[in-house]
Coordinates of all heavy atoms in Angstrom, one line a residue:
M3 N -21.1 -0.5 -45.0 CA -19.7 -0.1 -44.8 C -19.5 0.8 -43.6 O -18.5 0.5 -42.9 CB -19.4 0.8 -46.1 CG -19.1 -0.1 -47.4 SD -17.8 -1.3 -47.0 CE -16.4 -0.5 -47.6
K4 N -20.4 1.6 -43.2 CA -20.3 2.3 -42.1 C -20.4 1.6 -40.9 O -19.6 1.7 -39.9 CB -21.5 3.4 -42.0 CG -21.2 4.7 -42.9 CD -22.2 5.7 -42.5 CE -21.9 7.0 -43.4 NZ -22.9 8.0 -43.2
K5 N -21.1 0.4 -40.8 CA -21.2 -0.3 -39.7 C -19.9 -1.0 -39.5 O -19.4 -1.1 -38.3 CB -22.3 -1.5 -39.9 CG -23.0 -1.8 -38.7 CD -24.1 -2.8 -39.0 CE -25.1 -3.0 -38.0 NZ -26.2 -4.0 -38.3
V6 N -19.2 -1.5 -40.4 CA -18.0 -1.9 -40.4 C -16.9 -1.0 -39.8 O -16.1 -1.5 -38.9 CB -17.4 -2.6 -41.8 CG1 -16.1 -3.1 -41.7 CG2 -18.4 -3.6 -42.3
T7 N -16.9 0.1 -40.2 CA -16.0 1.1 -39.7 C -16.3 1.3 -38.2 O -15.3 1.4 -37.5 CB -16.2 2.5 -40.5 OG1 -16.4 2.3 -41.8 CG2 -15.1 3.4 -40.1
L8 N -17.5 1.4 -37.8 CA -17.9 1.6 -36.4 C -17.3 0.3 -35.5 O -16.7 0.6 -34.5 CB -19.4 1.7 -36.2 CG -19.9 3.1 -36.3 CD1 -21.6 3.0 -36.2 CD2 -19.4 4.0 -35.3
I9 N -17.6 -0.7 -36.1 CA -17.0 -1.9 -35.3 C -15.5 -1.9 -35.3 O -14.9 -2.2 -34.1 CB -17.5 -3.3 -36.0 CG1 -19.0 -3.5 -35.9 CG2 -16.8 -4.6 -35.6 CD1 -19.7 -4.5 -36.8
A10 N -14.9 -1.6 -36.3 CA -13.5 -1.5 -36.4 C -13.0 -0.5 -35.3 O -12.0 -0.8 -34.5 CB -13.0 -1.1 -37.7
V11 N -13.7 0.7 -35.3 CA -13.3 1.6 -34.2 C -13.5 1.2 -32.8 O -12.6 1.4 -31.9 CB -14.1 3.0 -34.5 CG1 -14.0 4.0 -33.4 CG2 -13.6 3.5 -35.8
A12 N -14.6 0.5 -32.7 CA -15.0 -0.1 -31.4 C -13.9 -1.0 -30.9 O -13.3 -1.0 -29.8 CB -16.3 -0.7 -31.4
I13 N -13.6 -2.0 -31.8 CA -12.4 -2.9 -31.5 C -11.2 -2.2 -31.2 O -10.5 -2.5 -30.2 CB -12.4 -3.9 -32.7 CG1 -13.6 -4.8 -32.8 CG2 -11.0 -4.7 -32.5 CD1 -13.7 -5.7 -34.0
F14 N -10.9 -1.2 -31.9 CA -9.6 -0.5 -31.7 C -9.6 0.0 -30.3 O -8.6 -0.1 -29.6 CB -9.5 0.6 -32.7 CG -8.2 1.5 -32.6 CD1 -7.0 1.0 -32.9 CD2 -8.4 2.8 -32.0 CE1 -5.8 1.8 -32.6 CE2 -7.3 3.4 -31.7 CZ -6.0 3.1 -32.0
F15 N -10.6 0.7 -30.0 CA -10.7 1.4 -28.7 C -10.7 0.4 -27.6 O -9.9 0.5 -26.6 CB -11.8 2.3 -28.5 CG -11.6 3.6 -29.1 CD1 -12.1 4.1 -30.4 CD2 -10.7 4.6 -28.4 CE1 -11.9 5.3 -30.9 CE2 -10.3 5.7 -29.0 CZ -11.0 6.2 -30.1
S16 N -11.3 -0.6 -27.7 CA -11.4 -1.6 -26.6 C -10.1 -2.3 -26.4 O -9.6 -2.4 -25.4 CB -12.6 -2.7 -26.7 OG -12.4 -3.3 -28.0
A17 N -9.4 -2.6 -27.6 CA -8.2 -3.3 -27.6 C -7.2 -2.2 -26.9 O -6.2 -2.6 -26.2 CB -7.6 -3.6 -29.0
A18 N -7.2 -1.0 -27.4 CA -6.4 0.0 -26.8 C -6.4 0.1 -25.2 O -5.4 0.1 -24.5 CB -6.6 1.4 -27.4
S19 N -7.6 0.2 -24.8 CA -7.9 0.2 -23.4 C -7.3 -1.1 -22.6 O -6.8 -1.1 -21.5 CB -9.3 0.5 -22.9 OG -10.0 -0.5 -23.5
V20 N -7.6 -2.2 -23.3 CA -7.1 -3.4 -22.7 C -5.6 -3.4 -22.7 O -4.9 -3.9 -21.6 CB -7.7 -4.7 -23.5 CG1 -6.8 -5.9 -23.2 CG2 -9.1 -4.9 -23.1
F21 N -4.9 -2.9 -23.7 CA -3.5 -3.1 -23.6 C -2.9 -1.8 -22.7 O -1.9 -2.0 -22.0 CB -3.0 -2.8 -25.0 CG -2.9 -4.0 -25.8 CD1 -3.8 -4.2 -26.7 CD2 -2.0 -5.0 -25.5 CE1 -3.8 -5.4 -27.6 CE2 -2.0 -6.2 -26.1 CZ -2.8 -6.4 -27.2
A22 N -3.7 -0.7 -22.6 CA -3.1 0.4 -21.9 C -3.3 0.2 -20.3 O -2.3 0.5 -19.6 CB -3.9 1.6 -22.3
A23 N -4.2 -0.4 -20.0 CA -4.5 -0.6 -18.5 C -3.4 -1.4 -17.8 O -2.9 -1.0 -16.9 CB -6.0 -1.3 -18.2
P24 N -3.2 -2.6 -18.3 CA -2.2 -3.4 -17.6 C -0.8 -2.9 -17.8 O -0.1 -2.8 -16.7 CB -2.2 -4.8 -18.4 CG -3.4 -4.8 -19.2 CD -3.8 -3.3 -19.4
L25 N -0.5 -2.2 -18.9 CA 0.9 -1.5 -19.0 C 1.0 -0.5 -17.9 O 2.0 -0.3 -17.2 CB 1.0 -0.9 -20.3 CG 1.5 -1.9 -21.4 CD1 1.5 -1.2 -22.7 CD2 2.8 -2.5 -21.0
N26 N -0.1 0.4 -17.9 CA 0.0 1.4 -16.7 C 0.1 0.9 -15.4 O 0.9 1.3 -14.5 CB -1.3 2.4 -16.9 CG -1.2 3.3 -18.0 OD1 -0.1 3.6 -18.4 ND2 -2.3 3.9 -18.3
R27 N -0.7 0.0 -15.1 CA -0.5 -0.7 -13.8 C 0.8 -1.3 -13.5 O 1.3 -0.9 -12.4 CB -1.6 -1.8 -13.7 CG -2.3 -1.8 -12.3 CD -3.2 -3.0 -12.2 NE -4.4 -3.1 -13.2 CZ -4.8 -4.2 -13.5 NH1 -4.3 -5.4 -13.2 NH2 -5.8 -4.1 -14.4
T28 N 1.3 -2.0 -14.4 CA 2.6 -2.5 -14.3 C 3.7 -1.5 -14.0 O 4.5 -1.6 -13.0 CB 3.1 -3.5 -15.3 OG1 1.9 -4.2 -15.8 CG2 4.2 -4.4 -15.0
G29 N 3.5 -0.5 -14.8 CA 4.5 0.6 -14.6 C 4.5 1.2 -13.3 O 5.5 1.4 -12.6
S30 N 3.3 1.6 -12.9 CA 3.1 2.3 -11.5 C 3.6 1.4 -10.4 O 4.1 1.7 -9.5 CB 1.8 2.9 -11.3 OG 0.9 1.8 -11.4
D31 N 3.2 0.2 -10.6 CA 3.6 -0.9 -9.5 C 5.1 -0.9 -9.4 O 5.6 -1.0 -8.3 CB 3.2 -2.3 -9.9 CG 1.7 -2.5 -9.3 OD1 1.3 -1.5 -8.6 OD2 1.1 -3.6 -9.6
T32 N 5.8 -1.0 -10.6 CA 7.3 -1.1 -10.4 C 7.7 0.2 -9.7 O 8.7 0.0 -8.8 CB 7.8 -1.2 -11.9 OG1 6.9 -2.0 -12.5 CG2 9.2 -1.9 -11.8
T33 N 7.3 1.4 -10.2 CA 7.7 2.6 -9.5 C 7.5 2.5 -7.9 O 8.3 3.0 -7.2 CB 7.2 3.9 -10.1 OG1 6.3 3.4 -11.1 CG2 8.3 4.6 -10.8
K34 N 6.2 2.2 -7.6 CA 5.8 2.0 -6.3 C 6.8 1.1 -5.5 O 7.2 1.5 -4.4 CB 4.4 1.6 -6.1 CG 3.5 2.9 -6.1 CD 2.2 2.3 -5.7 CE 1.0 3.5 -5.7 NZ -0.3 3.1 -5.6
T35 N 7.0 -0.1 -6.0 CA 7.8 -1.0 -5.3 C 9.1 -0.4 -5.1 O 9.7 -0.7 -4.0 CB 7.8 -2.2 -6.1 OG1 6.6 -2.6 -6.7 CG2 8.3 -3.4 -5.3
K36 N 9.6 0.2 -6.1 CA 11.1 0.7 -5.8 C 11.0 2.0 -4.9 O 12.0 2.0 -4.1 CB 11.6 1.1 -7.2 CG 12.1 -0.1 -8.0 CD 12.8 0.4 -9.3 CE 13.4 -0.8 -10.1 NZ 13.9 -0.4 -11.3
K37 N 10.1 2.8 -5.0 CA 10.1 4.0 -4.2 C 9.5 3.8 -2.9 O 10.1 4.4 -1.9 CB 9.3 5.1 -4.9 CG 10.0 5.8 -6.0 CD 9.4 7.0 -6.5 CE 10.1 7.7 -7.5 NZ 9.3 8.8 -8.1
V38 N 8.6 3.0 -2.7 CA 8.0 3.0 -1.4 C 8.8 2.4 -0.3 O 9.3 1.3 -0.6 CB 6.5 2.2 -1.6 CG1 6.2 1.6 -0.2 CG2 5.4 3.1 -1.9
K39 N 9.0 2.9 0.8 CA 9.6 2.5 1.8 C 8.7 1.7 2.8 O 7.6 2.3 2.9 CB 10.4 3.6 2.6 CG 11.6 4.1 1.8 CD 12.2 5.2 2.8 CE 13.0 6.1 2.0 NZ 13.4 7.3 2.8
P40 N 9.1 0.8 3.4 CA 8.2 0.3 4.5 C 8.0 1.3 5.5 O 8.8 2.0 6.1 CB 8.9 -1.0 5.0 CG 10.4 -0.7 4.7 CD 10.4 0.0 3.4
A41 N 6.6 1.4 5.8 CA 6.3 2.4 6.9 C 6.9 2.0 8.3 O 7.0 0.9 8.6 CB 4.8 2.4 7.0
K42 N 7.2 3.1 8.9 CA 7.9 2.8 10.2 C 6.9 2.4 11.1 O 5.9 3.1 11.4 CB 8.5 4.1 10.7 CG 9.2 3.8 12.0 CD 10.5 4.7 12.2 CE 11.2 4.2 13.5 NZ 12.3 5.1 13.8
V43 N 7.0 1.2 11.7 CA 6.0 0.7 12.5 C 6.7 0.2 13.9 O 7.8 -0.3 13.7 CB 5.4 -0.7 11.9 CG1 4.4 -1.3 12.9 CG2 4.6 -0.1 10.7
Q44 N 6.1 0.5 14.9 CA 6.7 0.2 16.2 C 5.6 -0.7 16.9 O 4.4 -0.5 16.6 CB 7.1 1.3 17.0 CG 8.4 1.9 16.5 CD 8.9 3.0 17.4 OE1 8.1 3.9 17.8 NE2 10.1 2.9 17.8
Y45 N 5.9 -1.5 17.8 CA 5.0 -2.3 18.5 C 5.1 -1.8 20.1 O 6.2 -1.6 20.5 CB 5.3 -3.7 18.4 CG 5.2 -4.3 17.0 CD1 6.2 -4.0 16.1 CD2 4.0 -4.9 16.7 CE1 6.0 -4.5 14.8 CE2 3.9 -5.4 15.4 CZ 4.9 -5.2 14.4 OH 4.7 -5.6 13.2
T46 N 3.9 -1.6 20.6 CA 3.8 -1.1 21.9 C 2.8 -2.0 22.6 O 1.9 -2.6 22.2 CB 3.3 0.3 22.0 OG1 3.5 0.8 23.3 CG2 2.1 0.5 21.4
C47 N 2.9 -1.9 24.0 CA 1.9 -2.6 24.9 C 0.7 -1.6 25.1 O 1.0 -0.4 25.4 CB 2.7 -3.1 26.1 SG 1.5 -3.6 27.3
T48 N -0.3 -2.1 25.0 CA -1.6 -1.2 25.3 C -1.5 -0.8 26.9 O -2.1 0.3 27.1 CB -2.9 -2.0 25.1 OG1 -2.8 -3.2 25.5 CG2 -3.1 -2.2 23.5
M49 N -0.9 -1.5 27.6 CA -1.0 -1.3 29.1 C 0.3 -0.3 29.3 O 0.3 0.4 30.4 CB -0.9 -2.4 30.0 CG -2.1 -3.3 29.6 SD -3.8 -2.5 29.9 CE -3.7 -2.4 31.8
H50 N 1.4 -0.5 28.7 CA 2.6 0.2 28.9 C 3.0 0.9 27.6 O 3.8 0.3 26.8 CB 3.8 -0.7 29.4 CG 3.3 -1.5 30.6 ND1 2.8 -2.8 30.5 CD2 3.2 -1.2 31.9 CE1 2.5 -3.2 31.8 NE2 2.7 -2.2 32.6
P51 N 2.7 2.1 27.5 CA 2.9 2.9 26.2 C 4.4 3.2 26.0 O 4.9 3.5 24.9 CB 2.1 4.2 26.3 CG 1.2 4.0 27.4 CD 1.6 2.8 28.4
E52 N 5.1 3.1 27.1 CA 6.5 3.4 27.2 C 7.3 2.2 26.6 O 8.4 2.3 26.1 CB 7.1 3.7 28.5 CG 7.2 2.6 29.5 CD 5.7 2.3 30.2 OE1 4.8 2.9 29.8 OE2 5.8 1.6 31.3
V53 N 6.7 1.0 26.5 CA 7.3 -0.1 25.9 C 7.3 0.0 24.4 O 6.2 0.0 23.8 CB 6.6 -1.4 26.3 CG1 7.2 -2.6 25.6 CG2 6.8 -1.6 27.8
L54 N 8.4 0.1 23.7 CA 8.4 0.3 22.2 C 9.4 -0.9 21.8 O 10.4 -0.9 22.3 CB 8.8 1.7 21.9 CG 7.8 2.7 22.0 CD1 8.4 4.1 21.7 CD2 6.6 2.5 21.1
S55 N 8.9 -1.5 20.7 CA 9.8 -2.4 20.0 C 9.6 -2.4 18.5 O 8.5 -2.0 18.1 CB 9.5 -3.8 20.5 OG 10.2 -4.9 19.7
D56 N 10.7 -2.5 17.8 CA 10.5 -2.4 16.4 C 10.1 -3.9 15.7 O 10.0 -4.1 14.5 CB 11.8 -1.9 15.7 CG 13.0 -2.8 16.1 OD1 12.9 -3.6 16.9 OD2 14.1 -2.5 15.5
K57 N 10.1 -4.8 16.6 CA 9.5 -6.2 16.3 C 8.3 -6.5 17.0 O 8.1 -6.1 18.2 CB 10.7 -7.2 16.4 CG 11.8 -7.0 15.4 CD 12.8 -8.0 15.7 CE 14.0 -7.4 16.5 NZ 15.0 -8.5 16.7
P58 N 7.4 -7.4 16.5 CA 6.3 -7.9 17.2 C 6.9 -8.8 18.3 O 7.8 -9.4 18.2 CB 5.6 -8.6 16.2 CG 6.3 -8.9 15.1 CD 7.4 -7.9 15.0
G59 N 6.2 -8.7 19.4 CA 6.6 -9.6 20.6 C 5.8 -9.4 21.8 O 4.6 -9.1 21.6
K60 N 6.3 -9.6 22.9 CA 5.5 -9.5 24.2 C 6.2 -8.4 25.0 O 7.4 -8.1 25.1 CB 5.6 -10.9 24.9 CG 5.1 -12.1 24.1 CD 3.9 -12.7 24.6 CE 3.3 -13.7 23.7 NZ 2.4 -14.6 24.3
C61 N 5.2 -7.8 25.7 CA 5.6 -6.8 26.6 C 6.4 -7.3 27.7 O 6.1 -8.4 28.3 CB 4.4 -6.2 27.3 SG 4.9 -4.9 28.5
P62 N 7.7 -6.9 28.1 CA 8.5 -7.4 29.1 C 7.9 -7.2 30.5 O 8.4 -7.9 31.4 CB 9.9 -6.6 28.9 CG 9.4 -5.4 28.1 CD 8.3 -5.7 27.3
K63 N 7.0 -6.3 30.6 CA 6.5 -6.0 31.9 C 5.2 -6.8 32.3 O 5.1 -7.2 33.4 CB 6.0 -4.4 32.0 CG 7.2 -3.5 31.8 CD 6.9 -2.1 32.1 CE 8.2 -1.3 32.0 NZ 8.0 0.1 32.2
C64 N 4.4 -7.0 31.3 CA 3.3 -7.8 31.6 C 3.0 -9.1 30.7 O 2.0 -9.8 30.9 CB 1.9 -6.9 31.5 SG 1.5 -6.2 29.9
G65 N 3.8 -9.1 29.7 CA 3.6 -10.3 28.8 C 2.6 -10.2 27.8 O 2.4 -11.2 27.1
M66 N 2.0 -9.1 27.6 CA 0.9 -9.0 26.7 C 1.5 -8.9 25.3 O 2.7 -8.4 25.1 CB 0.1 -7.7 26.9 CG -1.2 -7.9 27.8 SD -2.0 -6.4 28.2 CE -2.7 -6.1 26.5
T67 N 0.8 -9.4 24.3 CA 1.3 -9.2 22.9 C 1.3 -7.7 22.6 O 0.4 -7.0 22.8 CB 0.4 -10.0 21.9 OG1 0.2 -11.3 22.5 CG2 0.9 -10.0 20.6
L68 N 2.5 -7.5 22.0 CA 2.7 -5.8 21.6 C 1.7 -5.7 20.4 O 1.6 -6.6 19.6 CB 4.0 -5.7 21.2 CG 5.0 -5.9 22.4 CD1 6.5 -5.6 22.0 CD2 4.7 -5.0 23.6
V69 N 1.1 -4.6 20.3 CA 0.3 -4.2 19.2 C 1.1 -3.2 18.3 O 1.9 -2.4 18.7 CB -1.0 -3.6 19.6 CG1 -1.9 -4.6 20.3 CG2 -0.8 -2.4 20.4
K70 N 0.6 -3.3 17.0 CA 1.3 -2.4 16.1 C 0.9 -1.0 16.3 O -0.2 -0.7 16.5 CB 0.9 -2.9 14.6 CG 1.9 -2.7 13.6 CD 1.2 -2.8 12.3 CE 1.5 -4.1 11.6 NZ 1.0 -4.3 10.2
K71 N 1.8 -0.1 16.2 CA 1.6 1.2 16.4 C 2.4 2.0 15.2 O 3.7 2.1 15.2 CB 2.2 1.6 17.7 CG 2.1 3.3 17.9 CD 2.9 3.5 19.2 CE 2.9 5.1 19.4 NZ 3.7 5.4 20.5
E72 N 1.6 2.6 14.3 CA 2.4 3.3 13.3 C 2.7 4.7 13.9 O 2.0 5.3 14.4 CB 1.4 3.4 12.1 CG 1.5 2.0 11.3 CD 0.5 2.1 10.1 OE1 0.5 3.1 9.4 OE2 -0.1 1.1 9.9
V73 N 4.0 5.0 13.5 CA 4.5 6.3 14.0 C 3.9 7.4 13.1 O 4.1 7.6 11.9 CB 6.1 6.3 13.9 CG1 6.5 7.6 14.3 CG2 6.6 5.1 14.7
A74 N 3.1 8.2 13.8 CA 2.5 9.3 13.1 C 3.4 10.5 13.0 O 4.4 10.7 13.8 CB 1.2 9.7 13.8
K75 N 3.2 11.2 12.0 CA 4.1 12.4 11.7 C 3.8 13.4 12.7 O 4.6 14.2 13.3 CB 3.9 13.0 10.4 CG 4.7 12.1 9.3 CD 4.4 12.7 7.9 CE 4.9 11.8 6.9 NZ 4.5 12.3 5.5
K76 N 2.5 13.6 13.0 CA 2.0 14.7 14.0 C 2.0 14.1 15.3 O 1.6 13.0 15.5 CB 0.7 15.2 13.7 CG 0.7 16.3 12.6 CD -0.7 16.8 12.3 CE -0.8 17.7 11.1 NZ -2.1 18.1 10.7
K77 N 2.5 14.8 16.3 CA 2.3 14.4 17.7 C 1.4 15.4 18.4 O 1.7 16.6 18.6 CB 3.7 14.3 18.4 CG 4.3 13.0 18.1 CD 5.4 12.7 19.1 CE 6.0 11.3 19.0 NZ 7.0 11.1 19.9
T78 N 0.3 15.0 18.7 CA -0.8 15.9 19.3 C -0.6 15.9 20.9 O -1.0 16.8 21.5 CB -2.1 15.5 19.0 OG1 -2.3 14.1 19.1 CG2 -2.6 15.9 17.6
T79 N 0.1 14.8 21.4 CA 0.2 14.9 22.8 C 1.4 15.5 23.1 O 2.5 15.3 22.7 CB 0.2 13.4 23.4 OG1 1.0 12.6 22.6 CG2 -1.2 12.8 23.2
Ligands
ZN126 ZN1 2.8 -4.3 29.3

């Protein structure tokens, strides 16, 4: 009888964790999707840092493909 109880408890806990995990994930995902803003990204030319674009493209000065540059909060320079 004790064995049966143990098995029942084990099943209960594993079932609980199986149900809890996806629910938690879905919940946080939904909140994240709603709250998270797209990070501000700018594109710049590696040779011409003054060239800034909010879209990927080519540098108007040298024609190089612009690289992604995430705008940092801190400016050390
Ligand atoms: Zn350039």
Side-chain angles (χ1 to χ4, degrees):
M3 283 304 265
K4 274 188 181 174
K5 220 176 190 181
V6 174
T7 317
L8 272 180
I9 289 168
V11 169
I13 288 171
F14 174 78
F15 274 110
S16 55
S19 57
V20 162
F21 277 108
L25 274 180
N26 276 343
R27 219 188 296 149
T28 320
S30 59
D31 267 0
T32 323
T33 5
K34 263 189 187 175
T35 318
K36 277 187 182 175
K37 275 190 181 176
V38 152
K39 289 180 197 169
K42 181 152 190 185
V43 172
Q44 286 189 311
Y45 294 84
T46 185
C47 174
T48 48
M49 303 301 287
H50 303 99
E52 72 270 21
V53 173
L54 285 174
S55 172
D56 54 353
K57 286 182 259 181
K60 304 238 169 166
C61 173
K63 296 191 180 179
C64 65
M66 269 178 69
T67 308
L68 300 180
V69 294
K70 212 191 250 183
K71 174 192 178 188
E72 282 179 42
V73 180
K75 283 178 188 171
K76 278 185 192 173
K77 273 198 174 177
T78 42
T79 46

